[in-house]
Amino acid sequence: MKKFCENCPRHCKCNRTRNMGFCGEQQTMRIAKIIKHFKWEEPCLCTDGGTLAIFFSGCNLKCDYCQNIDISRGGVGELYSPEKLAELIKKEQETHSSIDLITPTHFLDQLEKTFSLFDKKVPVIWNTSGYESVENIEKISKFVDIFLTDLKYSNNDLALKFSKCSDYLTVSLPAIKKMCELKKDVFEGEKLKQGVVIRHLVLPNFTKNSIEVLDLVKEHFPNRMISVMSQFTPNGHGLLNRKLNPIEYKAVLLHLEKLGLKNGFIQDFESADCDFVPKFI
Ligand code: SF4
C-alpha cells in the first residue's frame, strides 16, 4: 500500500498501516462473513452452484439506511492476508459459478495482490456502491470480470443527506461509464461471464429520486442491464423507518417501462414482506 490510502475517492490521506480512514478499516482485509453457494444475487450471477459471497467489513459510504449495518460499521470479522484469501478462493472456486466481492472498494490494493497469487477460473464480481474513481476502475478491471454497481442517487444533495457523500453522483457517473466501456456484456447461456449490472434500491418516500436515476440510466447507459430493487428494510437506526409500499415500487416500474428499459431485473414485491430478500424476476 502507498503511504496514504488511494483506494477510494474519499482521499482521506490516511496511513492505514497505523490508522483507519473514513471506511473504518486498517490495511489488512477484514471479512465479516463468507456464504458459499449464495443464490440471492441477480440470476445471471449465481447460476450452477451459486456464487461465493465474501462480505468485507467497513465501507467508504455511511448510508443512514445501510442494509448491512453490522458489517459496514461494526468492525467485525476475521482478518485475511492476500495469501489466506487466495487459498480460500482457490479451494472453493471450482464449485461456484462466480466469486462475489461485496463492498470491496476500501481493500482494493489487497485484492489486487490476492488475485495476482493464483489463476481464477470463474468470473469475479466487484459488488460496489458505485463510489469509485475512474483510475481505480481501470486497475480493478484487470482482475474483475463483472461490475455489479449501485447507482443510488440522482443528485449529490441526497447523497450527502443519506450517505455522507457530497460528490457521489459527480464521481460515480464517470466511474460507471468507465465500467461499461471496459466490460461489454458476455453471456454463456444464462450465465454472465463479463459485463455490468447497474443496481438501484428504491427508498421509501423517495420515488422521485428513483425516477431520476432511471432517467440517468436511459441517458447514459440505455442498453446496459439495470436491476431495480424493492427489498429495502429499515435498519432500526436510520431516518427511513418503513418498508417500501407496493404503490411506490409500481410507480418506479411504470417509469422503467415508459423509458423502454427492458434489459435487466425487477423483484417480486410480494416476497418483500418477509425477512428474505425478494427474488429477482
Ligand atoms: S478506502 Fe478508506 S481510508 Fe482509503 S480513501 Fe477510502 S475511506 Fe479513506
Side-chain angles (χ1 to χ4, degrees):
M1 176 181 269
K2 294 194 178 150
K3 188 163 179 211
F4 296 119
C5 176
E6 291 174 0
N7 282 347
C8 97
R10 289 269 174 199
H11 302 300
C12 296
K13 301 265 184 272
C14 159
N15 180 347
R16 285 173 62 188
T17 57
R18 295 198 210 122
N19 305 311
M20 3 174 144
F22 184 90
C23 54
E25 289 294 323
Q26 290 193 284
Q27 181 172 4
T28 309
M29 289 182 283
R30 192 201 304 264
I31 294 176
K33 63 180 168 180
I34 295 173
I35 305 182
K36 296 179 186 176
H37 310 294
F38 189 65
K39 293 265 188 182
W40 294 104
E41 305 291 29
E42 285 76 355
C44 61
L45 303 175
C46 38
T47 54
D48 318 323
T51 189
L52 178 67
I54 302 175
F55 294 78
F56 291 93
S57 305
C59 186
N60 67 348
L61 295 183
K62 290 271 180 290
C63 300
D64 177 76
Y65 53 83
C66 178
Q67 305 287 284
N68 272 323
I69 200 158
D70 296 340
I71 294 176
S72 66
R73 273 169 249 175
V76 293
E78 189 179 329
L79 296 176
Y80 275 75
S81 65
E83 290 75 16
K84 184 174 164 187
L85 183 57
E87 268 316 301
L88 177 114
I89 297 174
K90 233 163 73 180
K91 182 168 157 246
E92 296 292 340
Q93 63 176 345
E94 309 249 10
T95 56
H96 290 84
S97 60
S98 53
I99 310 297
D100 189 6
L101 306 174
I102 301 173
T103 321
T105 307
H106 50 295
F107 292 122
L108 164 59
D109 56 341
Q110 300 290 297
L111 286 162
E112 257 184 313
K113 169 113 195 270
T114 302
F115 283 92
S116 72
L117 298 175
F118 68 102
D119 291 329
K120 63 184 173 68
K121 298 206 162 43
V122 292
V124 174
I125 303 168
W126 192 259
N127 188 335
T128 168
S129 67
Y131 191 57
E132 306 271 5
S133 68
V134 168
E135 307 78 65
N136 284 352
I137 292 303
E138 300 251 14
K139 280 194 210 166
I140 296 162
S141 71
K142 299 205 164 64
F143 62 91
V144 156
D145 306 281
I146 296 166
F147 286 104
L148 176 57
T149 178
D150 292 344
L151 181 52
K152 291 176 183 290
Y153 306 109
S154 66
N155 64 79
N156 289 330
D157 290 344
L158 207 57
L160 180 60
K161 176 182 163 93
F162 279 119
S163 298
K164 294 197 170 43
C165 189
S166 60
D167 60 355
Y168 176 85
L169 186 66
T170 310
V171 167
S172 62
L173 208 52
I176 297 172
K177 277 187 193 162
K178 182 52 84 177
M179 295 174 200
C180 291
E181 187 190 310
L182 293 172
K183 300 290 177 187
K184 305 291 166 221
D185 292 340
V186 178
F187 279 87
E188 184 180 82
E190 301 285 297
K191 176 177 175 174
L192 185 65
K193 289 185 73 186
Q194 177 191 284
V196 178
V197 178
I198 302 167
R199 269 183 169 174
H200 176 70
L201 176 66
V202 183
L203 302 176
N205 287 336
F206 287 90
T207 49
K208 181 170 177 283
N209 175 55
S210 297
I211 283 168
E212 288 171 358
V213 165
L214 293 182
D215 289 340
L216 287 171
V217 171
K218 175 74 179 176
E219 184 183 345
H220 298 280
F221 319 107
N223 302 313
R224 305 312 295 249
M225 280 181 276
I226 168 90
S227 178
V228 183
M229 303 168 78
S230 66
Q231 68 190 56
F232 177 86
T233 307
N235 63 15
H237 303 279
L239 298 168
L240 302 174
N241 57 9
R242 69 162 172 87
K243 290 195 171 204
L244 195 66
N245 70 45
I247 294 169
E248 289 172 310
Y249 191 52
K250 190 152 187 215
V252 176
L253 295 188
L254 279 173
H255 195 66
L256 183 80
E257 199 180 327
K258 186 174 145 204
L259 294 174
L261 295 171
K262 294 195 174 129
N263 188 12
F265 308 90
I266 56 173
Q267 285 183 310
D268 173 8
F269 194 87
E270 294 307 309
S271 57
D273 279 345
C274 66
D275 288 335
F276 296 102
V277 176
K279 73 174 190 276
F280 289 96
I281 47 180

